[in-house]
């Protein structure tokens, strides 16, 4: 009876009648058998036959039949629920990620870039009904993944982000923002959002960030800006080590907060500061709540009625009790 529900469970109250029927049967038992009065029974051997011992079984059959009928009236059934969800008003999101050398700074664990990648992957996982794209930028920018609903592709693109020599080092915030706008400008989505992440100041590229934010505003694109880095000093890479790795030294953290606030304000977004791993996670959680997608869920119920078997059981038991009472026990004393 696993996963079985009852349409009319109120009929189970009828089970309270069964103890009353048992008491009635015990009280009326002597009147249901023929009696013979004699002066003495010393000449009779007191020994009940097997049929006499089995006669109460007729009443048990009747109780079982009534129990089966009560269960049948309660309408047991199994419910198979299947659901389909679809986004009625989806959101297109582009994450513009700074991949300059300063993203290897170790004020976040293990560094800014790896911390960001982990949180960005979780963010994608929690947006199953939206389309997401990835833009990376340093002194220049390019689209790593166009806006797509295939979350596996987006997550793989995020995992593969690393600091390399593909882009000349530097921080071209305007370049990254413009490239992201270009991916969204023709979108027909209800809402278009850019999450712009950087850890420095604009020092490269030929497009000013303010100009890029005005273009975003014209296309109805909202920009959330995130400044990544602790307050004060952090370990920054400054040169290559003989083994091919990086040498680090303490340097001041510089983030153009005014610029990021201006971009967010011009486009109707918000500015956030991620000074730690936990703060970065909470920022993405906040954006996830701010940008909600309307979801329509359709549920389909398939009912498998189970009452018929109990009706059959009751019928068989009643027929068996009726047959025994009118055959073997018909003239039984």
């Amino acid at each position: 009876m696993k996963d079985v529900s009852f349409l009319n469970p109120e009929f189970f109250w009828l089970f309270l009648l069964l103890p009353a029927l048992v008491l009635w049967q015990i009280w009326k038992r002597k009147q249901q058998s023929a009696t013979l009065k004699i002066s003495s029974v010393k000449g009779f051997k007191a020994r009940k036959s097997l049929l006499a011992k089995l006669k109460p079984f007729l009443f048990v059959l009747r109780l079982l039949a009534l129990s089966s009928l009560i269960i049948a009236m309660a309408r047991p059934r199994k419910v198979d629920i299947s659901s389909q969800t679809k986004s009625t008003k989806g959101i297109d999101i582009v994450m513009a990620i700074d991949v300059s050398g300063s993203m290897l700074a170790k004020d976040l664990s293990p560094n800014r870039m790896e911390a960001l990648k982990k949180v960005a992957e979780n963010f994608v996982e929690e947006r199953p009904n939206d389309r997401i794209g990835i833009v990376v930028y340093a002194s220049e920018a390019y689209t790593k993944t166009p806006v797509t609903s295939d979350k596996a592709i987006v997550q793989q693109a995020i995992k593969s982000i690393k600091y390399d020599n593909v882009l000349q080092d530097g921080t071209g915030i305007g370049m990254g923002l413009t490239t992201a706008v270009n991916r969204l400008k023709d979108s027909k989505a209800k809402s278009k959002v850019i999450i712009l992440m950087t850890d420095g100041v604009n020092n490269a590229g030929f497009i000013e960030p303010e100009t890029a934010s005005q273009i975003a505003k014209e296309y109805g694109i909202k920009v959330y800006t995130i400044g990544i880095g602790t307050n004060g000093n952090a370990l920054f890479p400054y040169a290559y080590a003989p083994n091919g790795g990086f040498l680090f030294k303490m340097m001041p953290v510089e983030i153009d907060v005014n610029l990021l606030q201006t971009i967010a304000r011009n486009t109707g977004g918000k500015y956030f500061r991620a000074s730690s791993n936990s703060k970065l996670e909470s920022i993405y959680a906040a954006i996830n709540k701010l940008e909600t997608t309307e979801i329509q869920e359709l549920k389909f119920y398939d009912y498998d009625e189970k009452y018929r078997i109990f009706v059959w059981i009751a019928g068989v038991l009643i027929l068996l009790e009726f047959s025994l009472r009118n055959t073997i026990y018909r003239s039984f004393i």
Side-chain angles (χ1 to χ4, degrees):
M1 299 294 287
K2 186 180 179 182
D3 299 327
V4 173
S5 61
F6 294 88
L7 182 61
N8 303 311
E10 61 273 10
F11 281 105
F12 283 127
W13 289 103
L14 294 176
F15 274 112
L16 296 176
L17 296 177
L18 299 188
L21 291 176
V22 172
L23 294 175
W24 176 261
Q25 175 69 12
I26 293 173
W27 186 62
K28 297 289 291 183
R29 181 177 55 185
K30 292 183 179 180
Q31 300 181 20
Q32 292 176 349
S33 299
T35 58
L36 177 64
K37 293 182 180 181
I38 57 177
S39 59
S40 175
V41 293
K42 291 181 179 181
F44 297 91
K45 193 173 182 180
R47 179 178 161 185
K48 284 189 176 182
S49 66
L50 180 62
L51 287 177
K53 292 179 180 180
L54 292 178
K55 186 177 181 182
F57 181 67
L58 296 177
F59 182 68
V60 174
L61 291 177
R62 185 174 298 182
L63 289 179
L64 291 175
L66 288 173
S67 299
S68 296
L69 285 176
I70 291 172
I71 295 174
M73 288 188 294
R75 289 286 295 278
R77 60 183 184 176
K78 292 187 71 172
V79 184
D80 181 21
I81 303 175
S82 58
S83 61
Q84 293 181 356
T85 59
K86 65 177 182 178
S87 172
T88 56
K89 293 184 178 180
I91 298 175
D92 281 356
I93 302 171
V94 170
M95 289 189 280
I97 300 175
D98 186 345
V99 294
S100 59
S102 58
M103 285 292 288
L104 300 178
K106 298 190 176 203
D107 47 353
L108 273 70
S109 177
N111 58 48
R112 295 173 181 176
M113 187 174 293
E114 292 302 317
L116 174 60
K117 286 164 60 176
K118 180 180 178 181
V119 175
E121 282 186 63
N122 292 336
F123 178 80
V124 172
E125 188 71 27
E126 294 177 2
R127 309 293 300 192
N129 302 291
D130 299 320
R131 301 197 307 163
I132 299 176
I134 303 295
V135 166
V136 294
Y137 69 94
S139 61
E140 298 174 330
Y142 71 90
T143 301
K144 193 169 183 67
T145 302
V147 177
T148 177
S149 58
D150 191 331
K151 300 305 182 293
I153 291 177
V154 177
Q155 289 181 319
Q156 185 57 43
I158 294 172
K159 288 179 182 178
S160 66
I161 292 174
K162 60 182 180 179
Y163 174 75
D164 51 32
N165 294 322
V166 174
L167 298 176
Q168 182 180 350
D169 202 11
T171 305
I173 296 175
M175 300 296 291
L177 182 54
T178 302
T179 304
V181 169
N182 193 49
R183 305 313 309 180
L184 289 175
K185 62 184 179 65
D186 297 323
S187 170
K188 303 299 182 184
K190 174 208 71 169
S191 181
K192 294 175 283 188
V193 172
I194 293 174
I195 303 175
L196 177 72
M197 294 150 282
T198 186
D199 67 344
V201 297
N202 186 68
N203 56 21
F206 55 86
I207 300 178
E208 292 298 322
E210 293 86 350
T211 303
S213 69
Q214 290 299 324
I215 297 173
K217 181 179 180 181
E218 290 177 9
Y219 283 107
I221 300 172
K222 187 186 300 182
V223 182
Y224 291 100
T225 56
I226 303 175
I228 302 175
T230 188
N231 297 308
N233 297 322
L235 280 172
F236 281 87
Y238 71 94
Y240 283 101
N243 62 1
F246 292 96
L247 296 175
F248 291 82
K249 67 178 180 180
M250 294 298 294
M251 298 173 62
V253 176
E254 296 180 356
I255 298 176
D256 194 340
V257 175
N258 291 331
L259 173 62
L260 297 180
Q261 289 176 335
T262 299
I263 294 173
R265 183 171 57 250
N266 287 346
T267 59
K270 285 189 175 183
Y271 164 72
F272 301 92
R273 178 66 181 269
S275 56
S276 65
N277 291 61
S278 59
K279 186 64 176 176
L280 182 60
E281 291 176 2
S282 65
I283 289 169
Y284 269 89
I287 295 174
N288 194 31
K289 291 180 180 179
L290 287 170
E291 296 297 330
T292 57
T293 303
E294 294 183 19
I295 304 299
Q296 181 181 8
E297 182 176 24
L298 302 176
K299 285 191 175 182
F300 302 92
Y301 296 84
D302 182 18
Y303 295 101
D304 182 13
E305 298 286 353
K306 299 294 184 182
Y307 72 90
R308 296 180 182 85
I309 183 65
F310 293 98
V311 174
W312 278 102
I313 291 173
V316 170
L317 293 174
I318 291 173
L319 181 61
L320 179 60
E321 193 258 351
F322 179 80
S323 299
L324 291 174
R325 191 176 298 278
N326 289 277
T327 54
I328 295 176
Y329 293 99
R330 182 174 182 179
S331 57
F332 184 79
I333 297 178

